[in-house]
Amino acid sequence: HESPPDEPSNIVDFSILDHKGRTPYMLLNGKKRPRTLEALLPEPSWEKVETVLSRGNSSIESICAAFRDLMAESSPRGSRALQRLRILDMLFCDKEGDEGELTRRRKVVFDRFLKSALLRSVEEPKINEDEKEVLVFMYNQSAGPPQEEKNARSSYQSDFDDVMKRCSGSMEKLYGGEFERLRKEDPDFSTLTNLP
């Protein structure tokens, strides 16, 4: 595997993963390449993301819009692309903190966004496509790198299981027989959770 260059280009895809599910930031030896490390630091930072998540009583809609605004503010071209929100690095890269801090961050994302967003996603009126894209992105990023051996949700697993059970119950009420048919065809809902 080739190391990142000393001078990163302005078009680096920070979200690309290697065969073990690691990002360029996770792979980089910062001691050998400090300028590259500085260039690969997540922007917006975790502090900015946590500020958005810490706003009291914010709706899912306003949090999703705030995430898009963070993207635009941090991009030289004003891009609102979610891939610029490097949640995977913020929650799983040891350059961002020790395991205790990374675990705390994962729980913050769940408690302050995912829990209510997942429950809201199965209510009427339906969330719009932009909000659904943010929710799916955050859900997938919070699960950790694809090859992650540890359970990324272990610190809140029982809460996560409860939320998924409640979502399942809500979907059953909303869609009745159609939901049951979908559950038989795709018991782990992998089609739903792997939406692009």
Side-chain angles (χ1 to χ4, degrees):
H1 183 78
E2 191 175 318
S3 296
D6 269 334
E7 295 292 327
S9 81
N10 289 330
I11 57 169
V12 171
D13 182 351
F14 298 111
S15 64
I16 197 162
L17 303 177
D18 75 354
H19 67 285
K20 291 185 179 179
R22 298 171 300 183
T23 65
Y25 184 55
M26 291 174 182
L27 287 168
L28 181 69
N29 180 336
K31 291 180 181 169
K32 289 184 179 179
R33 300 178 183 273
R35 289 185 6 208
T36 304
L37 177 65
E38 185 177 332
L40 290 178
L41 289 172
E43 183 58 38
S45 66
W46 168 253
E47 289 73 22
K48 292 177 183 177
V49 169
E50 190 168 25
T51 297
V52 167
L53 293 172
S54 296
R55 295 176 184 161
N57 297 327
S58 292
S59 68
I60 300 311
E61 295 81 2
S62 66
I63 291 174
C64 290
F67 281 147
R68 293 289 190 176
D69 291 344
L70 278 179
M71 299 305 88
E73 291 167 13
S74 69
S75 170
R77 295 188 178 106
S79 169
R80 296 170 65 85
L82 282 173
Q83 288 72 16
R84 293 187 54 77
L85 186 60
R86 295 183 26 226
I87 296 298
L88 191 65
D89 282 331
M90 292 177 199
L91 302 183
F92 295 95
C93 182
D94 60 8
K95 292 175 187 72
E96 288 289 299
D98 63 19
E99 189 55 39
E101 171 61 14
L102 298 177
T103 298
R104 183 194 74 79
R105 290 178 180 194
R106 292 191 289 268
K107 188 155 176 31
V108 165
V109 169
F110 177 75
D111 287 341
R112 296 185 186 163
F113 178 71
L114 281 176
K115 183 188 307 186
S116 54
L118 286 165
L119 291 167
R120 170 67 184 87
S121 72
V122 294
E123 296 173 352
E124 294 291 344
K126 294 178 180 170
I127 60 174
N128 69 38
E129 287 302 311
D130 186 60
E131 292 154 3
K132 183 162 88 175
E133 183 182 8
V134 173
L135 172 57
V136 169
F137 176 80
M138 295 292 284
Y139 178 87
N140 289 336
Q141 295 286 296
S142 71
Q147 304 295 328
E148 188 73 23
E149 291 181 23
K150 62 186 171 195
N151 183 351
R153 295 189 166 106
S154 61
S155 66
Y156 57 89
Q157 189 66 54
S158 63
D159 285 343
F160 178 79
D161 293 344
D162 179 58
V163 166
M164 297 311 286
K165 186 176 179 181
R166 289 169 57 193
C167 286
S168 177
S170 293
M171 287 184 70
E172 200 166 321
K173 285 179 190 172
L174 281 172
Y175 302 110
E178 184 63 18
F179 178 72
E180 195 54 43
R181 182 188 67 75
L182 286 171
R183 187 189 331 229
K184 287 178 183 170
E185 288 178 14
D186 189 9
D188 63 355
F189 295 101
S190 60
T191 304
L192 178 65
T193 58
N194 290 324
L195 293 174

